[in-house]
Each structure stands twice: as structure tokens, then as C-alpha cells.
Amino acid sequence: MNKLTKSLFLILTISIFTSCDFINNAFTYKDTTEGFVETLIKEDYEKSLTYMATEHDGFKNTNLDTLKKGLSNFRKLIVNNFGTDLDYKFMTANKTFSTVEGESTAPNTTKAQIEFSNDKEFGVFEIIFDDNSNKIYNIKTLDIKESIPNMTIFWLFGVLAICVPIFNIWIIRKIKKSDLKKKWLKYIAVIFLNVPAISYSAVYGLSFSLLTFQILFGISFSYMGYLSSAWTFGIPLGGLYWLWKLNKKTETETTENGIITE
């Protein structure tokens, strides 16, 4: 086994274990948030504290009675805006490293977003989790209160978006079977020239971007809660151009064959 193969195998192994750890943490973050909020709603503030990283250095000088009063105010914010019967969905989790002061996540913490909803509306919790205990270090609601979107329209738009990579793959196969020269240049045109881009967000609807390229066969997809669910596809200009060229070439050859026959 050469060095390159060993390196690739090591990267693959690390990626698999990292992905498994991330998925496990995603479930943990959601369950912890759900448990914390449900105990808040029941006004069991003592139990709510068990979901918080009170052993963290940041809580050293915190008076627990004062903290409970803060939790009571936080409960009122949630209940007054969304009620007491909530569903929860994991959205994202990340660590940010930045040279700009205040933009990096604190050491040994992870920032996560958990979506919560009632029957009509949804909001988003932004939570800082302590990496050592996977408990809540800080939690707040983002300034979001949106109506739950119609996901049927979202998935129907996805059917339209999926047609783009199917079309591009079909064109690439036609190019491969043709007698065109430098086919790799044609493949690149089909893969990269998917512009302008049309997007559909589950919450904000349709949008159009004139100079946004969609590579990898012209489509992108995100499904992380209602807020971050979106389809984007590029108009397959490269594929349409080479479909026109191939059809024109076929018509020319047919005409020439007809003249020779006559």
C-alpha cells in the first residue's frame, strides 16, 4: 500500500468517525433542548438546571436563584409567542474560527440551531453547548416567527429541479456517443454552465440570481428545518447549447446524405 493510498484511507476513516460523532451529537443536542424547554414549560426550574452546564467556569459566580428568574422570563417569551405544545427539529451545529473578535465560538463549545414549532408557526433556538458535557451553556431565540410553509409546493419544485441533472447527464451521454473532438471540453461546459440560478425557499418562495453558477450538474439542495430548506437549479445553458449543436450536426448530415442519394 503506497503513501497516497494510506493517506486517503486515513482521511476516509477520520471522516466516517467524525460523521458518526456529528450525527450522534445532533440527536443529543435536539433531545437536550427538548428536555430543557419542556421542563421550563412545566415551570420545573430545578430540573431545567440539570440540562445546563452549570459546572462550566462561566457559571462560577452565577447565583442559581437569579438564573431561575431568568429562566422564568425565558419561559414566558416562549409560551406567549408559541404556546406549550411544541415540536423540535435539529437544524445545524458548527464551530466558528475567526480572526475577527467576537465571531469565533468559545473554546470547547459548539453553536447549534434547533427549530421548534406549534401547529401554525415556527421559531429557532440558537444554543451554545459545552463540548465536555453536551449540556446547554447559553440559549436564546432568534428573531424569527414565521408561518409553517406548504411543503407540498416545495417538493413539487424539487421535481422540476431534478430534471436539470437528468437533462445534463443525457446530454453528456449524447456527446460521448457522438464523433465530436475534445469531448472533455464539452463535458466541462455542460457541468459548469448552469446559469442563471432559480431558487425556491420553503419559507421565502422564489428568487432569481443572474450570475450564480450551479455546478455538479446544475442543482443544489438544502433541508435543515423550514428556514433552511431550499432548492436551487441553474438554467442548463451548456447542455442546451450542445443539444442544439448536436441536432444541427445531425440535420446537416441528413441533408448531405439526401443529396448524395439523389
Side-chain angles (χ1 to χ4, degrees), residues 36-86:
F36 172 74
V37 176
E38 291 304 312
T39 56
L40 273 189
I41 289 172
K42 294 174 183 176
E43 300 184 81
D44 188 351
Y45 302 118
E46 197 67 42
K47 189 172 181 180
S48 295
L49 291 177
T50 65
Y51 291 96
M52 301 190 71
T54 51
E55 69 281 358
H56 193 280
D57 289 344
F59 285 94
K60 260 183 183 179
N61 300 318
T62 302
N63 183 288
L64 293 184
D65 289 332
T66 303
L67 181 57
K68 289 177 185 178
K69 288 180 182 178
L71 293 179
S72 175
N73 293 332
F74 188 59
R75 175 193 177 278
K76 288 177 184 175
L77 176 67
I78 297 168
V79 173
N80 290 344
N81 284 281
F82 296 95
T84 58
D85 188 14
L86 303 176

Side-chain angles (χ1 to χ4, degrees), residues 17-32:
F17 280 107
T18 302
S19 298
C20 290
D21 188 49
F22 174 80
I23 293 169
N24 182 59
N25 284 343
F27 284 113
T28 301
Y29 296 153
K30 175 184 170 293
D31 291 343
T32 300

Side-chain angles (χ1 to χ4, degrees), residues 198-214:
I198 299 172
S199 298
Y200 184 85
S201 164
V203 176
Y204 302 114
L206 275 173
S207 61
F208 180 81
S209 183
L210 186 61
L211 296 176
T212 299
F213 288 76
Q214 291 295 308

Side-chain angles (χ1 to χ4, degrees), residues 238-254:
L240 290 170
Y241 173 78
W242 283 108
L243 175 63
W244 174 73
K245 289 288 285 185
L246 288 168
N247 286 340
K248 187 177 179 182
K249 187 172 183 296
T250 302
E251 289 173 5
T252 302
E253 289 173 351
T254 302

Side-chain angles (χ1 to χ4, degrees), residues 159-219:
V159 175
L160 176 63
I162 288 170
C163 291
V164 174
I166 293 173
F167 171 75
N168 280 343
I169 291 169
W170 177 64
I171 293 298
I172 286 174
R173 287 177 59 84
K174 285 181 72 71
I175 293 171
K176 184 179 180 182
K177 291 177 181 179
S178 72
D179 57 358
L180 294 172
K181 299 183 187 306
K182 295 184 178 179
K183 293 180 181 180
W184 62 275
L185 286 174
K186 284 71 174 176
Y187 299 151
I188 289 174
V190 173
I191 291 171
F192 284 90
L193 292 181
N194 297 286
V195 63
I198 299 172
S199 298
Y200 184 85
S201 164
V203 176
Y204 302 114
L206 275 173
S207 61
F208 180 81
S209 183
L210 186 61
L211 296 176
T212 299
F213 288 76
Q214 291 295 308
I215 60 173
L216 296 177
F217 300 108
I219 188 173

Side-chain angles (χ1 to χ4, degrees), residues 100-138:
V100 180
E101 187 176 353
E103 291 190 1
S104 297
T105 49
N108 300 316
T109 64
T110 300
K111 181 187 290 185
Q113 290 187 342
I114 306 293
E115 183 180 272
F116 62 99
S117 61
N118 53 32
D119 291 335
K120 296 180 179 179
E121 298 163 318
F122 74 91
V124 177
F125 291 122
E126 186 172 272
I127 309 165
I128 305 296
F129 283 94
D130 173 36
D131 290 340
N132 296 321
S133 62
N134 279 338
K135 291 183 178 182
I136 296 169
Y137 177 68
N138 182 271

